Amino acid sequence: MVRGKTVIRRIEDTTSRQVTFSKRRSGLFKKAKELAILCDAQVGVLVFSSTGRLYDYSSSSMRGVIERYQQIKDGQQLMSASTEAKFWQAEAERLREELHNLQANHRQLLGQNLSGLDVNDLKDLENQLGTSLLDIRVKKDQILVDQIEELKRKESIMHNENVELKHELNTIRQEKVNLHRKVYGKQELNAGQSSVTMNSTDDEKEIRLELSQPQVAGNKQPKATEFRGFDEIHDLPKMSEKSDL
C-alpha cells in the first residue's frame, strides 16, 4: 500500500505530538551521528521540547562545539570594513590576473606573442593546437555524417512518395481505360446490332420484290402459274402480244 504524503503542520493531539517528537528526535540524532562519522565533521545538535526539556547530541564535546561556534561568530562580527575592502581588492586582482593569462594564451593560440616562449613551451603549444585540430576534424566529420544520413533519409522518403504517386497514376489510367471500354464498347455494340437489323430488313425487301406476282386487270381470276425464272418472266409480254394477234 502506498503511503500518503505527510502534511507538515502542528499536531493538535498531545499524545500523538509527543510520540512524533520522540521518533523524529531519534532520527535526527542518528543522521547527525552518521554525518559526523562519514564526513569527519564536528556536529552538535541541541533540541528543546515543548515542555522545556533539553536534548543534545555532540560528536565530540558539546562545550567544545559551542565555544568554537562562539569564536567564529565573534570573529565574523569583528571583521572591520577595511578588512572586507582588502579582501575584495585581492579578489579583484586575482580575477584580473586570470583574465590576463587567458588573453595571452588566446593570442598564443592565434600565433601571436611567441617571442617569449622557449622550445618546450612551443612544443606544448603545438601539441595543444594538434589536439584542438583533431577535435575540430572529428566534430566536422560527425556533422557531415549526420547530414549525409539525413539526406539519405529524405531521399528514401521521396522515393517512397514517388512510388506511391506512380501507383496512383497507373490506377487512374487503368480506370480511365476501363471507363473508355465501357462507354465506347456499348456504342460499337449498338451500332453493330443496328447494322445487322438494317441488313436483314433489306434482305426481306429484296425477297418480297422477287416473289411478288403481277396483278390481273378486271374481275378475272389469275391463273395458277408456276414460278418461272427471270428469262421466262421477261418473255411474257411477247407471248401476250402474239395471243392478241
Side-chain angles (χ1 to χ4, degrees):
M1 182 176 180
V2 181
R3 185 177 179 182
K5 185 178 180 180
T6 303
V7 180
I8 305 300
R9 62 184 179 183
R10 185 176 182 273
I11 301 174
E12 300 296 335
D13 185 70
T14 305
T15 304
S16 299
R17 186 166 61 244
Q18 286 297 117
V19 172
T20 303
F21 174 78
S22 178
K23 291 182 178 178
R24 294 297 179 96
R25 186 193 69 238
S26 300
L28 177 62
F29 288 167
K30 182 179 179 181
K31 293 295 183 182
K33 183 178 180 181
E34 292 176 355
L35 178 62
I37 294 173
L38 293 174
C39 302
D40 192 20
Q42 189 176 9
V43 181
V45 180
L46 294 174
V47 178
F48 293 92
S49 67
S50 60
T51 59
R53 186 175 178 178
L54 172 63
Y55 299 91
D56 63 332
Y57 168 80
S58 175
S59 61
S60 57
S61 171
M62 182 59 69
R63 183 182 295 275
V65 173
I66 294 175
E67 289 178 356
R68 185 177 180 182
Y69 168 77
Q70 192 65 37
Q71 290 175 1
I72 295 175
K73 189 71 174 176
D74 293 341
Q76 290 178 353
Q77 291 177 354
L78 293 176
M79 182 180 289
S80 61
S82 60
T83 305
E84 186 176 1
K86 290 180 180 179
F87 170 78
W88 290 115
Q89 287 177 359
E91 187 69 15
E93 184 65 24
R94 185 183 67 82
L95 292 175
R96 280 195 294 269
E97 184 178 358
E98 184 177 356
L99 177 62
H100 175 72
N101 293 333
L102 291 174
Q103 290 177 349
N105 188 19
H106 178 69
R107 287 192 294 269
Q108 290 174 359
L109 290 174
L110 295 177
Q112 302 173 2
N113 298 335
L114 301 177
S115 58
L117 300 179
D118 57 7
V119 176
N120 293 328
D121 294 335
L122 291 174
K123 286 183 178 180
D124 294 338
L125 183 61
E126 183 180 5
N127 293 332
Q128 186 177 358
L129 288 173
T131 303
S132 301
L133 182 60
L134 180 62
D135 294 338
I136 292 172
R137 287 176 178 175
V138 170
K139 183 63 176 178
K140 183 188 69 173
D141 293 340
Q142 184 63 37
I143 293 175
L144 291 175
V145 169
D146 294 339
Q147 291 179 353
I148 292 173
E149 292 296 331
E150 182 66 18
L151 291 174
K152 287 182 178 179
R153 186 184 65 83
K154 291 182 179 180
E155 180 184 5
S156 178
I157 293 174
M158 294 179 64
H159 177 71
N160 294 332
E161 291 179 353
N162 289 334
V163 171
E164 293 178 359
L165 291 174
K166 185 177 180 180
H167 178 70
E168 293 179 358
L169 180 61
N170 292 333
T171 303
I172 294 174
R173 287 179 177 176
Q174 187 63 34
E175 292 178 353
K176 184 178 180 181
V177 170
N178 294 335
L179 181 62
H180 183 274
R181 289 177 178 176
K182 289 180 180 180
V183 174
Y184 292 98
K186 289 182 179 180
Q187 292 182 359
E188 292 176 357
L189 180 61
N190 295 331
Q193 292 178 352
S194 300
S195 176
V196 171
T197 305
M198 293 176 63
N199 292 333
S200 61
T201 305
D202 294 338
D203 293 339
E204 291 178 357
K205 289 181 179 180
E206 291 178 358
I207 293 171
R208 290 177 182 173
L209 290 173
E210 290 177 356
L211 297 179
S212 61
Q213 296 180 359
Q215 298 293 331
V216 181
N219 294 327
K220 294 182 180 180
Q221 295 294 330
K223 295 181 180 180
T225 58
E226 295 179 356
F227 180 77
R228 298 183 177 85
F230 179 77
D231 296 332
E232 294 178 355
I233 295 173
H234 181 71
D235 295 333
L236 285 176
K238 295 179 180 181
M239 294 173 64
S240 61
E241 290 177 359
K242 289 180 180 179
S243 60
D244 292 338
L245 293 174

